[in-house]
Amino acid sequence: MNILDRYHAMEYGPAPEARNEADAWLAARDFGRALFIGGDWKAASGGKTFETSEPSSGKLLANVSAANAVDIDAAVAAATKALPKWSAASGYQRAKVLYAIGRAMQRHQRLFAVLETIDNGKPIRESRDIDVPLAIRHFIHHAGWAQALDRDFAGHKGVGVVGQIIPWNFPLLMLAWKIAPALAAGCTVVLKPAEFTPLTAILFAEICERAGVPKGVVNIVQGGPEAGVAIVNHPGTQKIAFTGSSEVGKIIRKATAGSGKKLSLELGGKSAFIVFEDADLDSAVEGLVDGIWFNQGQVCCAGSRLLVQEGIADALIAKVKTRMSRLRVGSPLDKNTDIGPLVDLTQLDRVKGLVAEGARQGAVCWQPDAALPSSGYYHLPTLATGVSPANILAQEEVFGPVLATMTFRNTEEAIELANNTRYGLAASVWSENVNLALHVAPQLKAGVVWVNGTNMFDAACGFGGYRESGFGREGGREGMFEYLTAKLPLGPVIKPATTSAQPVEQPDGDTIDRTAKLFIGGKQVRPDGNYSLAIATAKGKLAGEVGLGSRKDIRDAVSAARGAKAWPEATAYNRSQVLYYLAENLSGRAGEFAARLTELTGATPNAAREEVEQSIERLFLYAGLADKFEGRVHQPPARAVTLALHEPVGVVGIVAPDSSPLLGLISLVAPALAMGNTVVAVPSERYPLLATDLYQVIEYSDIPSGAINIVTGRSAELAGVLAKHDDVDGLWVFADAETCAKAEAESIGNLKRVWSGNGRSLDWASDEAAGDAFLRRAVEVKNVWVPYGD
């Protein structure tokens, strides 16, 4: 065959990456002493090891130390010992260390890339050109955050000792995502890599030694579930950062409930890849290859659901099949390989099982006619058509090279199909009409949306999900907040409510009995159970009665909040005007509310008047910030801009405290409303008449029906109902410690964002109990990537 014939045939010869340096590193390393604790290499105290094998062949690579609870104790102790000096170091000193790590990784980036490919199975082009450079970028980027910490995060400090658990699909990159911001914030870390892929974490620990990382600042412990459980449950860790499956994320959420630990979860996904009829189909096909067959589909944000407009479906599917037939499956060390092996036999069996079940449920599964290597855990790229929205391939995260395809007729149907999942990590929108793309992006329940692109990441841009894809962000400014804390001014310890046991005397003289109703959907309604709760004055006499709300009342209130589209769709300026009007109307009845405060709480007239004035002032504050707490525009090192949009969390449940009952309630409700959330509020159990008086003001303050709903009753019971309700997106609880812990534990159904006082109230009158700290909890940050240029 001559040169011209070869050119037309486009046959590929092998192009293997040399692995001799990686093999030499493997041969020289004592993996029986692979725990990096306090700057020293140690064997597991129990003497156990686990095997790590090469996915492309199944051959054993190493027997690695398996940490147990004793080893985790030692690692946390080392991190705790190193914390005071590291957190007290200047930003410049920490920046130098982070920069040194990045530069040392650059000097060894080919070794990192080859080890990653050998251990994980991803093609060398991906580990060499994406994973390793992006990991380096994170350390150098966060060196800048370390030095700018005092300027950009005034009043914040590192959260403390951080436990971090990472998955096997991006071993080095996930390590960088976790460790770089933690070190920049002044935290020390105990990190556990996945059992399948421990090698690059061990090499990274060697880099830490060379880069001058102080002993104990970074501790890396290999091991399995026992080590992970010990990290999560250890009383010496102040934060847990986890990336992995939604199922394990829920276990961690429940395990940390009531502990006061910060928690960030980056979990699974079932991302939509939406192609409109005006899209550039050839570009969309290449994007799809990157979206679902990158890393063999073992990507949490993989574009595993192709939604294509009906008019172009046949043409696009034909192009996809042609492109699939040209994907090269083979050795991951071959630079021509597109698809390498899955990470392990168990993962291969899982993918095969899901494909078989999807076919049984009616999907037509097509694969290109290609031979698989004789050894290793390979799976052909698979296209499933005729997929119903309920098919397992459309609902479950396959985590393999499998694409489920559905069609849509119009924009509304595309959005509905895209959001028809319990996940909410990422999405891709393909259209040559940027107006259409930016119309669709905010309506997708996903933390990241790529316009005419996919799998774009950068250290300056946040990444993370909604719903069962977890909460918290990795990267960017919002990622730094995950490792920082600002002390809110603590108020008294909250004792369990005893309203039902309070002796209530009838007042002197003739009275007209009046029971305050609930406020649901803009109307005063009787509680479903027709029970009431007697409320006493400070002198123990009957002040009145309120409806005793129940599970059904919460159900109705959540339904009203979910249906109140006018409020989240209103402009920020419009919300600002309404909140100003609410403050104005409350001001007109200030004397009445002050008198009620004095009657119920026993506060002096001056103190009561001061609380009312502070409540009005707080409404003014959030009215003014409604159109000022905005997102950002990032400029990553690519031909794209990233719009970090602030979006409302959704339906937010609020359980308000007894302390400062009017100010506490308004301090929680106002920021949630200002950011466009709808609210189901459970007011002070002891002093709910202040809230029932307040909804009389709400009724004539132009707040749309359902934007705020008030259900009076027993706080602990109603907090539990809100926690379990899957249509509640966020929950703020200021109640006794047991109620807070239960709310966190019972929130796992949809992994809603929970903020609790852990049994403490706040000093609601302080300036720190208002402003950005509350607004950040009232928004989700969605990063929309918009490329530009030819």
Side-chain angles (χ1 to χ4, degrees):
M1 182 179 287
N2 60 35
I3 296 294
L4 187 59
D5 291 335
R6 289 185 183 276
Y7 175 78
H8 287 301
M10 289 297 286
E11 292 180 352
Y12 288 87
E17 172 71 41
R19 58 178 291 167
N20 53 305
E21 293 293 332
D23 287 334
W25 182 86
L26 287 165
R29 194 75 181 77
D30 179 6
F31 291 100
R33 299 178 61 84
L35 307 184
F36 187 65
I37 299 174
D40 297 321
W41 293 98
K42 299 182 178 181
S45 61
K48 290 185 178 180
T49 61
F50 63 90
E51 294 182 350
T52 182
S53 302
E54 191 168 355
S56 62
S57 65
K59 293 180 180 177
L60 178 69
L61 288 170
N63 282 293
V64 182
S65 309
N68 60 20
V70 174
D71 302 310
I72 301 304
D73 279 339
V76 173
T80 302
K81 182 180 179 181
L83 180 63
K85 189 173 181 180
W86 180 248
S87 62
S90 70
Y92 172 53
Q93 290 171 315
R94 291 200 298 270
K96 287 195 294 183
V97 171
L98 282 158
Y99 179 72
I101 292 173
R103 290 291 287 123
M105 291 177 71
Q106 282 181 326
R107 291 193 295 273
H108 297 87
Q109 58 185 321
R110 189 53 66 96
L111 177 57
F112 271 114
V114 175
L115 271 179
E116 194 82 326
T117 289
I118 290 173
D119 203 20
N120 169 274
K122 65 179 59 187
I124 185 65
R125 287 188 291 119
E126 295 176 8
S127 55
R128 180 195 66 197
D129 299 341
I130 299 172
D131 292 32
V132 176
L134 194 51
I136 294 166
R137 158 81 170 146
H138 271 75
F139 282 100
I140 294 178
H141 174 80
H142 283 90
W145 275 131
Q147 198 163 357
L149 205 63
D150 291 339
R151 184 195 71 184
D152 286 74
F153 301 93
H156 290 74
K157 67 174 186 176
V159 70
V161 176
V162 180
Q164 302 175 322
I165 302 171
I166 59 175
W168 45 259
N169 57 334
F170 289 91
L172 183 65
L173 185 54
M174 292 296 103
L175 176 150
W177 280 20
K178 295 285 191 291
I179 291 182
L183 298 192
C187 301
T188 55
V189 303
V190 177
L191 179 136
K192 189 194 87 67
E195 284 178 279
F196 288 149
T197 52
L199 297 183
T200 47
I202 295 171
L203 177 57
F204 176 80
E206 294 180 355
I207 292 293
C208 289
E209 288 184 294
R210 300 171 193 171
V213 178
K215 291 186 175 184
V217 170
V218 173
N219 304 272
I220 295 179
V221 285
Q222 317 293 335
E226 180 184 359
V229 169
I231 290 173
V232 169
N233 294 332
H234 201 289
T237 55
Q238 284 78 52
K239 173 184 166 61
I240 300 297
F242 172 76
T243 297
S245 72
S246 296
E247 290 72 22
V248 176
K250 291 180 179 182
I251 293 170
I252 292 173
R253 166 71 280 185
K254 192 168 186 177
T256 57
S259 67
K261 296 181 182 183
K262 287 195 76 170
L263 179 64
S264 55
L265 301 172
E266 196 267 284
L267 308 175
K270 195 67 184 174
S271 300
F273 190 102
I274 308 170
V275 183
F276 286 96
E277 60 190 0
D278 67 338
D280 179 338
L281 296 191
D282 291 326
S283 295
V285 169
E286 291 308 308
L288 190 59
V289 168
D290 184 38
I292 181 57
W293 292 300
F294 174 57
N295 196 17
Q296 294 74 255
Q298 300 170 130
V299 183
C300 53
C301 57
S304 55
R305 290 185 299 144
L306 171 61
L307 310 181
V308 55
Q309 200 153 13
E310 282 183 354
I312 58 166
D314 291 343
L316 182 65
I317 294 300
K319 286 177 177 288
V320 170
K321 287 183 176 180
T322 299
R323 186 67 178 85
M324 288 174 68
S325 67
R326 293 172 183 166
L327 292 172
R328 295 178 61 82
V329 181
S331 168
L333 282 173
D334 189 328
K335 290 185 280 289
N336 290 325
T337 292
D338 298 303
I339 296 180
L342 299 178
V343 73
D344 185 77
L345 180 60
T346 56
Q347 183 64 14
L348 177 61
D349 289 342
R350 180 178 185 276
V351 173
K352 286 180 176 179
L354 287 169
V355 170
E357 179 59 22
R360 191 190 69 79
Q361 294 180 9
V364 178
C365 296
W366 182 89
Q367 295 175 333
D369 184 14
L372 292 177
S374 57
S375 63
Y377 313 126
Y378 290 89
H379 192 286
L380 284 172
T382 303
L383 173 67
T385 55
V387 177
S388 71
N391 189 290
I392 195 170
L393 296 179
Q395 290 297 323
E396 294 299 322
E397 185 179 33
V398 177
F399 228 60
V402 180
L403 177 64
T405 304
M406 291 170 279
T407 61
F408 63 87
R409 289 164 292 184
N410 54 40
T411 302
E412 291 72 24
E413 188 177 8
I415 294 167
E416 185 175 0
L417 281 170
N419 290 336
N420 181 35
T421 172
R422 67 182 189 273
Y423 298 109
L425 188 54
S428 295
V429 179
W430 290 78
S431 171
E432 290 296 282
N433 183 347
V434 71
N435 294 326
L436 173 62
L438 294 180
H439 168 70
V440 169
Q443 298 182 70
L444 300 176
K445 293 296 183 183
V448 180
V449 178
W450 296 294
V451 174
N452 293 330
T454 191
N455 283 340
M456 292 184 278
F457 310 100
D458 187 63
C461 306
F463 180 86
Y466 295 3
R467 296 174 167 177
E468 290 189 36
S469 290
F471 46 79
R473 294 293 182 265
E474 312 258 19
R477 184 181 180 84
E478 53 266 40
M480 281 300 301
F481 276 116
E482 300 296 333
Y483 292 92
L484 295 168
T485 182
K487 289 211 172 204
L488 290 173
L490 292 178
V493 172
I494 301 175
K495 297 179 181 179
T498 56
T499 309
S500 58
Q502 287 181 324
V504 180
E505 298 179 20
Q506 291 295 324
D508 297 328
D510 295 330
T511 61
I512 298 175
D513 182 32
R514 176 181 178 275
T515 300
K517 300 175 184 177
L518 312 181
F519 187 65
I520 297 176
K523 299 177 182 178
Q524 299 182 35
V525 298
R526 290 184 176 86
D528 179 81
N530 281 317
Y531 285 101
S532 61
L533 193 65
I535 304 301
T537 68
K539 296 180 179 180
K541 295 185 181 295
L542 181 67
E545 296 186 18
V546 297
L548 184 60
S550 66
R551 177 181 61 83
K552 289 184 177 179
D553 298 309
I554 291 291
R555 176 200 64 191
D556 292 342
V558 171
S559 178
R562 180 64 67 189
K565 304 295 185 184
W567 187 250
E569 292 175 1
T571 66
Y573 174 53
N574 180 243
R575 295 196 300 269
S576 173
Q577 287 179 300
V578 171
L579 289 173
Y580 275 129
Y581 191 32
L582 179 62
E584 178 185 334
N585 289 333
L586 179 59
S587 178
R589 297 177 60 176
E592 177 185 337
F593 276 87
R596 179 72 93 174
L597 271 167
T598 297
E599 177 193 20
L600 294 175
T601 69
T604 66
N606 285 341
R609 182 73 188 203
E610 178 64 20
E611 181 172 340
V612 176
E613 289 299 328
Q614 288 175 327
S615 300
I616 296 166
E617 181 182 348
R618 198 131 301 170
L619 280 169
F620 257 74
L621 171 69
Y622 288 115
L625 291 176
D627 59 354
K628 298 174 184 64
F629 189 72
E630 300 176 302
R632 293 168 175 260
V633 177
H634 300 302
Q635 295 176 282
R639 292 194 307 168
V641 293
T642 307
L643 313 177
L645 307 178
H646 283 177
E647 295 187 337
V649 172
V651 176
V652 176
I654 292 176
V655 180
D658 289 337
S659 62
S660 303
L662 179 62
L663 179 59
L665 177 64
I666 286 178
S667 294
L668 293 167
V669 169
L673 290 175
M675 294 296 99
N677 299 283
T678 55
V679 170
V680 177
V682 177
S684 160
E685 179 173 338
R686 191 172 179 185
Y687 311 117
L689 290 172
L690 286 157
T692 60
D693 290 347
L694 185 63
Y695 65 58
Q696 298 168 29
V697 180
I698 294 170
E699 284 179 313
Y700 55 83
S701 294
D702 292 345
I703 296 178
S705 298
I708 178 168
N709 305 272
I710 298 174
V711 180
T712 54
R714 296 195 172 95
S715 297
E717 177 185 335
L718 298 179
V721 177
L722 286 166
K724 293 176 182 177
H725 201 303
D726 284 350
D727 236 9
V728 175
D729 303 300
L731 179 59
W732 303 353
V733 184
F734 284 84
D736 61 277
E738 183 180 356
T739 298
C740 291
K742 283 185 177 179
E744 292 177 351
E746 292 173 347
S747 70
I748 63 173
N750 66 344
L751 280 174
K752 59 177 61 67
R753 294 173 52 173
V754 179
W755 173 31
S756 84
N758 295 305
R760 297 290 294 270
S761 187
L762 298 181
D763 177 5
W764 300 103
S766 66
D767 291 339
E768 292 81 9
D772 287 7
F774 285 63
L775 293 171
R776 277 195 298 273
R777 297 181 186 278
V779 298
E780 294 273 19
V781 181
K782 172 181 285 180
N783 282 271
V784 180
W785 288 70
V786 184
Y788 55 81
D790 295 332

